[in-house]
Amino acid sequence: MTDVPLHIQRRADGSWIEAQILEGVKPPDLIVVEGEWAAERSQVMQELLKQGVPRPNWPQSLHWDWRKKAPQLKLLASAGFGLVSEKRWQGVMLTLTEPYATQLNQDKGKPLLYIDYLEIAPWNWAIPAIGQVGQFRGIGSILFWKAIRQSQEEGFHGRVGLHALPQAELFYEKICRMTPLGRDPSKQNLLYLELSRIEAERHLKEDNKS
Amino acid sequence: MTNMTKHNGPSREWLLKMADGEDAVQSTSVGGMAANLGVLPPVAAESQRVFGRLIEFARRARGLSVEQLATHADVDLAEIVDIEREDHFIPTPRTVYQLAQVLNLPSGRLTEVAGLTTPRSDVSAAALKFAARSEPTATLSAAEREAFEEFVKVLVEATDGG
């Protein structure tokens, strides 16, 4: 496994804490992730129940069990990335380099990096309904940034595709500037979005300028 | 684990701007294979509602918490919560079987109630009657217990009778 050093911001006091993006996440790592996250998810659920928060307002990834995603990492075209800080998994992303190809006109048919799963640790979820603010900020953004970089390294010019959960559509369309390409009946009508090479370059330019 | 630095992470400025955006939305979760995750409800079905109510009653009748039932049945806690609370949730056959074992209900008939197989007419009628007489409350009232027991009796008889 290799790592990319960086800092993430603690929400409580705005301090920056050392972190690493780990590349080459393997199936046994996902079992560790699930071990760390399952108990936390259960606590979140108990609190949601106690506060009587309506089910549609619950985090839509509350069901996920990362152990079940482990077999996928055996595929040649798949890769796993983790964001680790304070010896805990703060976020995880699984990607595929095939069979997806871009649908956007300017690069139609060319390969892209497909994000199959992306999730942040339950203690980083901001859930106002139960007074949970989330420990670290921007974990999803860092993984998204990593996807753009990875796409470049694969020779895909930063092109990225994904199916967003409904609660995340706004983030990918408005904040990440991905293009929505319609709902996909083969993926439970999730919205499919793509990041064009132009927008990928803009993100990296903004990153370098700042 | 080898430590090979490739490039640093994103700049703090870029990250702060993105994190502000992230704070303004509910989630960043991506799930391309969400068809397997049960996160989006399919079409509503009366049978799921009855099934959820039956499981809830059977659990309460045995004095089990949701967590205890999940542990005993080796079923994800979230799935039990959805079964009891979500009218649209369709349980997996394994879950129905596990619940039947723990709650001492006939698994074959329980899959009918869950809508996974076509119910016999007497099971359907009993399910409707049960649904009409049951309300979700903290403890089982005498009337609820009677409704629950009547329904279980039909399920057992339907099983015994083939």
Side-chain angles (χ1 to χ4, degrees):
Chain A
M1 216 184 277
T2 59
D3 70 62
V4 178
L6 73 157
H7 289 81
I8 55 176
Q9 192 181 36
R10 197 191 301 281
R11 190 181 299 276
D13 57 6
S15 60
W16 292 87
I17 309 297
E18 279 186 12
Q20 294 86 37
I21 297 174
L22 299 183
E23 302 178 355
V25 169
K26 301 284 181 225
D29 298 318
L30 295 185
I31 291 167
V32 175
V33 169
E34 187 55 25
E36 286 184 10
W37 293 8
E40 192 80 17
R41 275 202 306 266
S42 176
Q43 273 185 16
V44 167
M45 194 185 302
Q46 297 296 341
E47 200 55 35
L48 288 163
L49 284 169
K50 205 160 75 183
Q51 301 292 333
V53 178
R55 184 65 179 83
N57 297 342
W58 287 22
Q60 288 170 330
S61 51
L62 205 55
H63 290 80
W64 291 9
D65 181 339
W66 283 90
R67 289 170 303 183
K68 292 176 185 167
K69 324 274 184 293
Q72 185 193 319
L73 277 175
K74 291 176 184 156
L75 300 173
L76 273 180
S78 76
F81 303 89
L83 181 52
V84 175
S85 182
E86 297 186 330
K87 297 181 181 170
R88 293 210 292 180
W89 294 82
Q90 305 293 343
V92 172
M93 173 172 73
L94 303 187
T95 63
L96 289 168
T97 50
E98 57 184 44
Y100 293 90
T102 185
Q103 297 174 20
L104 290 171
N105 277 336
Q106 59 265 41
D107 278 341
K108 202 171 178 112
K110 293 189 176 163
L112 53 70
L113 186 86
Y114 178 75
I115 303 177
D116 209 359
Y117 289 100
L118 185 155
E119 179 57 302
I120 66 174
W123 53 82
N124 289 325
W125 294 345
I127 313 173
I130 59 170
Q132 178 171 313
V133 293
Q135 286 184 20
F136 290 108
R137 302 180 71 219
I139 303 298
S141 300
I142 293 172
L143 291 170
F144 177 69
W145 173 91
K146 178 60 192 167
I148 299 175
R149 285 282 190 192
Q150 193 62 27
S151 169
Q152 279 195 322
E153 284 182 20
E154 299 279 354
F156 302 161
H157 302 281
R159 289 186 296 263
V160 173
L162 57 85
H163 286 83
L165 261 62
Q167 288 173 347
E169 289 174 2
L170 206 56
F171 174 71
Y172 290 104
E173 184 177 350
K174 302 297 181 195
I175 313 298
C176 298
R177 304 193 296 264
M178 297 181 84
T179 305
L181 290 164
R183 303 208 167 269
D184 187 343
S186 71
K187 306 281 188 190
Q188 282 216 331
N189 271 336
L190 293 182
L191 185 65
Y192 178 68
L193 302 105
E194 279 187 12
L195 184 72
S196 68
R197 64 191 291 173
I198 295 166
E199 286 300 339
E201 281 162 15
R202 269 183 68 196
H203 271 294
L204 296 179
K205 251 185 215 164
E206 287 167 9
D207 179 31
N208 289 334
K209 256 193 236 164
S210 52
Chain B
M1 196 183 293
T2 54
N3 290 328
M4 189 178 74
T5 302
K6 299 178 81 176
H7 46 68
N8 291 328
S11 67
R12 288 187 186 181
E13 289 74 12
W14 182 87
L15 182 54
L16 282 174
K17 190 185 76 173
M18 293 293 285
D20 285 345
E22 207 173 313
D23 285 349
V25 300
Q26 271 187 293
S27 165
T28 57
S29 298
V30 170
M33 292 170 70
N36 301 324
L37 304 176
V39 293
L40 299 173
V43 182
E46 177 67 15
S47 59
Q48 273 86 50
R49 194 171 79 82
V50 173
F51 178 72
R53 194 64 57 80
L54 175 65
I55 294 301
E56 185 198 345
F57 273 41
R59 172 180 64 75
R60 285 162 49 201
R62 283 159 182 74
L64 295 171
S65 68
V66 175
E67 267 189 321
Q68 284 170 328
L69 178 58
T71 304
H72 293 331
D74 187 23
V75 171
D76 192 30
L77 178 64
E79 197 171 355
I80 305 285
V81 170
D82 272 348
I83 285 169
E84 291 194 3
R85 296 191 171 225
E86 291 300 301
D87 292 347
H88 307 283
F89 188 80
I90 299 174
T92 64
R94 176 195 174 269
T95 296
V96 175
Y97 178 81
Q98 295 288 99
L99 291 174
Q101 301 307 305
V102 172
L103 298 171
N104 198 24
L105 295 167
S107 58
R109 299 302 159 216
L110 204 56
T111 57
E112 293 176 15
V113 179
L116 298 176
T117 51
T118 308
R120 289 164 44 131
S121 60
D122 51 348
V123 172
S124 291
L128 275 177
K129 195 174 167 192
F130 170 69
R133 291 167 64 187
S134 57
E135 289 300 328
T137 51
T139 53
L140 285 186
S141 67
E144 283 174 335
R145 181 172 290 278
E146 189 187 340
F148 168 66
E149 283 169 359
E150 255 183 51
F151 187 25
V152 171
K153 195 172 159 213
V154 171
L155 292 180
V156 172
E157 281 171 358
T159 301
D160 292 344

